[in-house]
């Protein structure tokens, strides 16, 4: 490959992020003009920063599987199951006049249990995809239904609420005026970016998405990589469940089910190729902010949240049309 | 190697088909339920079971056609919801008749299916992505415009469900009739028309189909419009049964229908699937749900069973394919 080819590759990769950034800037400008002194007010920015993280972490859980050319439809039901288990451990064992040390220990155990379940779900997903050869969409459609069923059986459809106050900080607290969940989202984004760009696993993830057979022939254990990717996806769903549980102060089967397809939408909007192999964390992050800006802006304008849904769909189609036009020009 | 593939006797062909195993499972499960609860195997129960699931089954026929063509449609429940709203609004305001109601539902469905097909073809974006976007678009716009209110007060003629009555039995009802008709229509299209064969060809290998002169655009236009048409028809059936139109009655069930069709042997990779398989796959799920209800098992367990059935059955099929893949390519067309 010649040098100019490389240069063009880098440029076009960045131009993808750039065009998303331009769309974002235009939207922010429009909303600021339409809502002078309201849209860019610190309180609105803060409320946006509170709403963004749970969808954001789930989107990264979805994105990483899409990079391998797969998809993970079980993220929401897996998150709900971990949330329910964590909430059950906490509500059953925490008493109002409990000492700090003991409380900390129970919270630690609860989170450990929740994350273990998330990892186990990921392991099962990865194994049935890698070893049995079920296509990811079907495998995770099955586990999604199964996990949702287990959650319903455990809770009988009821809400589990009344969590210890010290845990709620994860969902509702702020540090230096910045919501704690936003810190978690940024940490997750950085971790995923490092994983994808700086580790062998990350490289293998992109390679599997481009051509799984060739990757296998090049000596990489594709089964192992697939399983690890789905385990990471599961763990991210677990982290999202922690944020969701702390934000709602409760857990329930069926929370956030409308997020499922939105995470696919935001991933593709952010430049993830649904066939695998291409896409960056920064793109997904901008995609997330885009959706949040539309949602908050319309909300402030007093427009129905359903128009937001419609605009999200239209935005994705518009961006896909733009991408097609770009490919044509080249 | 060669000998084993050559000696394909008729009987052997039956055993190899996944439909055969599904049928075995259905018979076994039904037998079990009948022994435990004799009321399972009664006309009233089976009729009620089929009728109450008819609108989902009608949409399943559409999903089958889309899957065979190598695509996927997530937006059909949104299409159905839009069609139902439009149909109900027109029928309540200006009156009409049953035929007109179905025509309106079907026409709205075809229109929205056309949008899907054009976007998928011209944007060159995977159908799952386009239809996730259009699902949000259709549903969001509908609720934004309509306000998402429930619709009641259908005219008297719309409330009649029975066409023919045999004594105390329900006879032939509109949902059952429409269900049977849409299955027969789908079967005829897939088996006896050039269009149907083109759908298999495009799903099996789009590039190859294009090279032998099949118009991929035309095939896709038909497939997504047909999906939309059946979604619109199904939504009219659902309105006919419920006599109310609720914005969230159909939404969120798309993956359920998809799972039933896949259970029936249709592959997400395209090129395979049959209406018989879809009937059996869908049948297995509703039989299990109905049987569990009759046995008094809490409905919370239904999803656990359905999920397990999907994972196991799809797992078996996938594993068999993995084993067979070493022997060469397989082409599986409805015979």
């Amino acid at each position: 490959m010649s040098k100019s080819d490389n240069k063009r590759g880098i440029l076009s990769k960045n131009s993808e992020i750039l065009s998303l950034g331009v769309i974002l800037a235009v939207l922010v400008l429009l909303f600021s003009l339409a809502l002078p002194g309201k849209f860019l007010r610190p309180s609105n920015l803060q409320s946006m920063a509170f709403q963004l993280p749970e969808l954001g972490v789930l989107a990264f859980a979805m994105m990483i599987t899409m990079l391998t050319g797969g998809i993970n439809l079980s993220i929401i039901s897996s998150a709900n199951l971990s949330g329910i288990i964590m909430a059950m451990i906490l509500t059953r064992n925490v008493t109002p006049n409990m000492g700090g040390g003991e409380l900390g220990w129970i919270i630690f155990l609860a989170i450990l249990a929740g994350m273990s379940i998330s990892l186990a779900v990921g392991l099962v997903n990865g194994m049935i995809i890698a070893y049995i050869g079920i296509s990811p969409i079907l495998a995770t459609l099955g586990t999604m239904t199964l996990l949702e069923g287990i959650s319903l059986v455990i809770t009988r459809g009821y809400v589990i609420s009344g969590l210890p106050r010290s845990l709620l900080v994860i969902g509702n607290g702020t540090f230096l005026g910045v919501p704690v969940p936003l810190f978690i989202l940024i940490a997750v984004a950085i971790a995923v970016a490092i994983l994808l760009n700086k580790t062998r696993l990350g490289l293998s993830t992109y390679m599997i998405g481009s051509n799984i057979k060739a990757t296998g022939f090049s000596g990489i254990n594709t089964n192992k990589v697939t399983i690890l990717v789905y385990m990471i996806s599961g763990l991210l769903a677990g982290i999202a469940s922690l944020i969701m549980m702390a934000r709602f102060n409760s857990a329930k089967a069926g929370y956030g089910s409308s997020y499922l397809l939105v995470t696919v939408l935001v991933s593709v909007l952010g430049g993830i190729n649904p066939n695998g192999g291409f896409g960056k964390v920064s793109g997904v992050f901008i995609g997330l902010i885009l959706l949040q800006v539309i949602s908050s802006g319309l909300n402030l304008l007093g427009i129905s949240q359903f128009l937001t849904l419609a605009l999200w769909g239209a935005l994705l189609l518009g961006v896909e049309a733009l991408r097609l036009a770009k490919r044509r020009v080249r | 190697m060669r000998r084993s593939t050559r000696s394909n006797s008729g009987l052997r062909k039956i055993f190899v088909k996944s439909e055969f195993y599904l049928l075995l499972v259905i018979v076994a499960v039904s037998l079990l339920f009948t022994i435990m609860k004799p009321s399972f195997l009664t006309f009233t129960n089976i009729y009620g079971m089929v009728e109450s699931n008819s609108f989902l089954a009608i949409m399943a026929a559409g999903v089958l056609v889309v899957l065979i063509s190598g695509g996927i449609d997530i937006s059909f429940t949104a299409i159905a919801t839009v069609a139902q709203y439009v149909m109900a609004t027109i029928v309540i305001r200006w009156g009409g008749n049953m035929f007109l109601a179905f025509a309106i539902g079907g026409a709205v469905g075809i229109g929205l299916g056309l949008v899907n097909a054009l976007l998928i073809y011209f944007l060159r974006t995977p159908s799952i992505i386009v239809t996730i976007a259009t699902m949000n678009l259709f549903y969001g716009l509908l609720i934004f415009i309509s306000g998402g209110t429930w619709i009641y007060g259908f005219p008297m003629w719309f409330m009649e469900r029975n066409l023919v009555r045999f004594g105390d039995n329900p006879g032939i009802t509109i949902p059952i009739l429409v269900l049977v008709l849409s299955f027969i229509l789908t079967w005829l299209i897939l088996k006896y028309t050039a269009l149907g064969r083109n759908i298999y060809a495009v799903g099996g290998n789009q590039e190859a189909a294009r090279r032998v002169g099949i118009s991929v655009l035309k095939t896709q236009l038909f497939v997504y419009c047909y999906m939309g048409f059946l979604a619109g028809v199904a939504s009219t059936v659902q309105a006919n049964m419920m006599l109310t139109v609720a914005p969230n009655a159909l939404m969120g069930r798309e993956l359920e229908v998809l799972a039933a069709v896949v259970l029936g042997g249709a592959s997400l990779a395209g090129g395979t699937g049959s209406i018989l398989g879809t009937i059996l796959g869908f049948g297995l799920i509703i039989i299990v749900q109905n049987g569990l209800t009759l046995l008094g098992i809490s409905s919370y367990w239904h999803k656990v069973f359905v999920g397990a059935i999907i994972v196991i059955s799809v797992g078996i099929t996938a594993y068999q394919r993995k084993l067979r893949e070493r022997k060469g390519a397989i082409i599986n067309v409805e015979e």
Side-chain angles (χ1 to χ4, degrees):
Chain A
M1 204 182 267
S2 72
K3 216 171 183 181
S4 66
D5 263 4
N6 262 339
K7 220 175 195 175
R8 205 168 63 182
I10 290 167
L11 211 75
S12 73
K13 260 184 216 162
N14 287 340
S15 82
E16 173 77 39
I17 308 286
L18 202 71
S19 45
L20 281 174
V22 169
I23 297 175
L24 180 61
V26 170
L27 275 174
V28 170
L29 191 73
L30 281 178
F31 280 125
S32 316
L33 288 176
L35 296 153
K38 261 186 180 167
F39 188 73
L40 287 176
R41 207 166 48 177
S43 67
N44 184 46
L45 292 180
Q46 200 185 43
S47 80
M48 277 165 65
F50 266 119
Q51 288 159 19
L52 190 65
E54 49 197 68
L55 176 63
V57 177
L58 287 169
F60 286 120
M62 180 63 83
M63 166 217 181
I64 187 165
T65 60
M66 287 179 78
L67 284 178
T68 66
I71 196 166
N72 187 355
L73 296 177
S74 71
I75 47 173
I76 308 283
S77 50
S78 154
N80 279 325
L81 182 62
S82 335
I84 286 165
I85 300 295
M86 287 192 282
M88 279 174 83
I89 294 175
L90 290 168
T91 49
R92 296 221 173 137
N93 295 303
V94 173
T95 49
N97 42 10
M98 194 175 241
E102 207 181 343
L103 181 68
W105 179 239
I106 290 174
I107 290 180
F108 171 75
L109 283 181
I111 292 178
L112 190 69
M115 297 307 131
S116 310
I117 288 171
S118 307
L119 279 172
V121 170
L123 179 69
V124 171
N125 277 332
M127 281 175 71
I128 53 183
I129 291 165
Y131 291 126
I132 304 181
I134 309 184
S135 66
I137 185 169
L138 290 181
T140 56
L141 179 63
T143 50
M144 172 187 105
T145 315
L146 196 64
L147 294 171
E148 215 175 310
I150 294 172
S151 298
L152 278 170
V153 169
I154 294 175
T155 60
R156 307 261 122 193
Y158 288 114
V159 180
I160 303 174
S161 56
L163 300 167
R165 197 167 284 169
S166 45
L167 187 80
L168 303 184
V169 175
I170 295 175
N172 304 307
T174 56
F175 180 71
L176 302 174
V178 179
V180 173
L182 188 65
F183 283 114
I184 298 176
L185 174 64
I186 290 171
V188 163
I190 292 172
V192 174
I194 290 174
L195 179 90
L196 288 176
N197 299 318
K198 304 282 178 210
T199 67
R200 283 182 60 181
L201 178 65
L203 184 64
S204 312
T205 305
Y206 280 108
M207 282 169 72
I208 283 187
S210 301
N211 189 333
I212 189 161
K213 274 206 179 123
T215 313
F217 285 132
S218 75
I220 290 169
N221 184 344
T222 54
N223 285 351
K224 200 177 119 194
V225 174
T226 305
I227 291 173
L228 282 174
V229 164
Y230 280 86
M231 284 177 79
I232 294 168
S233 174
L235 183 66
L236 292 178
I239 295 172
S241 86
L242 193 62
I243 301 176
M244 270 159 71
M245 181 179 74
R247 234 168 79 79
F248 301 145
N249 189 15
S250 61
K252 181 178 180 276
Y255 268 163
S257 56
S258 60
Y259 281 151
L260 179 61
L261 295 175
V262 176
T263 59
V264 181
L265 194 146
V266 83
S267 298
V268 178
L269 184 65
I272 305 295
N273 185 330
N275 299 321
F278 300 95
K280 291 169 107 182
V281 169
S282 49
V284 175
F285 208 92
I286 298 179
L288 273 168
I289 300 173
L290 260 174
L291 293 198
Q292 186 60 49
V293 162
I294 294 178
S295 160
S296 298
L298 291 183
N299 189 27
L300 281 178
L301 285 169
I303 293 171
S304 143
Q305 51 153 331
F306 290 100
L307 190 64
T308 309
L309 274 186
L311 277 182
W312 286 357
L315 180 69
L316 178 61
L317 293 174
V319 168
E320 284 296 313
L322 208 71
R323 281 179 190 147
L324 180 76
K326 254 187 188 165
R327 283 206 298 271
R328 285 266 162 85
V329 168
R330 240 182 288 152
Chain B
M1 267 289 256
R2 189 167 188 145
R3 214 170 347 136
S4 70
T5 46
R6 273 285 176 99
S7 63
N8 244 349
S9 69
L11 195 68
R12 205 180 161 140
K13 236 175 178 173
I14 293 173
F15 281 112
V16 171
K17 283 208 143 187
S18 59
E19 280 97 338
F20 177 72
Y21 291 101
L22 258 178
L23 190 65
L24 274 188
V25 175
I26 289 182
V27 170
V29 170
S30 306
L31 215 64
L32 189 74
F33 283 140
T34 313
I35 292 168
M36 291 165 86
K37 203 85 188 176
S39 60
F40 173 79
L41 203 66
T42 54
F43 180 74
T44 330
N45 182 47
I46 292 173
Y47 199 92
M49 181 169 82
V50 175
E51 190 181 34
S52 60
N53 286 290
S54 55
F55 65 98
L56 290 176
I58 295 167
M59 293 196 279
V63 172
L64 168 73
V65 175
V66 176
L67 287 188
I68 291 174
S69 81
I72 194 169
D73 191 341
I74 303 287
S75 71
F76 63 89
T77 49
I79 292 181
T81 309
V82 175
Q84 208 176 31
Y85 253 84
V86 175
M87 181 276 299
T89 311
I90 293 178
V91 156
I92 290 171
R93 192 169 296 171
W94 289 292
N97 54 47
M98 212 52 169
F99 182 75
L100 187 73
F102 275 100
I104 295 168
V108 173
I110 291 174
L112 297 181
L114 186 68
V115 173
N116 275 339
L118 292 174
L119 285 172
I120 290 165
Y121 186 81
F122 287 109
L123 285 184
R124 312 234 175 258
T125 303
S127 48
I128 184 168
I129 304 302
V130 169
T131 53
I132 286 176
T134 53
M135 175 191 77
N136 284 307
L137 191 64
F138 296 155
Y139 186 65
L141 278 181
L142 171 77
I143 306 300
F144 174 65
I145 294 167
S146 72
T149 47
W150 289 45
I151 301 179
Y152 307 93
F154 277 104
M156 281 308 283
W157 56 263
F158 194 83
M159 297 188 182
E160 186 53 49
R161 207 157 92 220
N162 285 285
L163 293 169
V164 187
R165 231 180 242 283
F166 306 116
D168 285 341
N169 286 325
I172 299 173
T173 61
I174 288 174
I176 295 282
L177 179 73
V178 175
L179 171 70
V180 171
L181 286 180
S182 42
F183 274 18
I184 292 176
L185 181 64
T186 309
W187 177 70
L188 287 176
I189 290 172
L190 286 178
K191 192 172 176 189
Y192 289 110
T193 66
L195 185 67
R197 310 320 274 186
N198 289 353
I199 296 173
Y200 278 101
V202 168
N205 186 335
Q206 189 166 329
E207 196 45 47
R210 197 194 310 273
R211 294 207 180 153
V212 297
I214 295 170
S215 163
V216 175
L217 172 63
K218 274 186 201 158
T219 312
Q220 283 188 340
L221 277 179
F222 172 78
V223 164
Y224 290 96
C225 288
Y226 188 66
M227 169 81 257
F229 170 71
L230 286 186
V233 165
S235 74
T236 313
V237 164
Q238 202 261 356
N240 176 244
M241 287 193 327
M242 295 302 163
L243 299 178
T244 53
V245 172
N248 53 1
L250 296 161
M251 293 302 290
R253 307 196 74 168
E254 52 279 339
L255 297 179
E256 211 178 302
V257 177
L258 185 69
V261 178
V262 171
L263 192 59
S267 153
L268 286 176
T272 43
S274 67
I275 195 81
L276 178 66
T278 301
I279 294 172
L280 294 175
F282 200 87
L284 180 59
I285 287 184
I286 64 171
I287 284 172
V288 168
Q289 287 183 345
N290 179 268
L292 291 176
T293 310
L294 284 183
L295 290 177
I297 294 173
S298 147
S299 65
Y300 300 126
W301 281 98
H302 291 188
K303 282 213 158 163
V304 177
F305 278 92
V306 172
I309 291 173
I310 295 170
V311 172
I312 293 169
S313 86
V314 174
I316 290 172
T317 325
Y319 197 68
Q320 279 176 337
R321 194 184 53 228
K322 208 172 178 180
L323 294 180
R324 269 184 301 177
E325 243 166 31
R326 291 164 202 163
K327 293 180 186 171
I330 302 147
I331 298 160
N332 190 1
V333 181
E334 181 164 42
E335 281 154 296

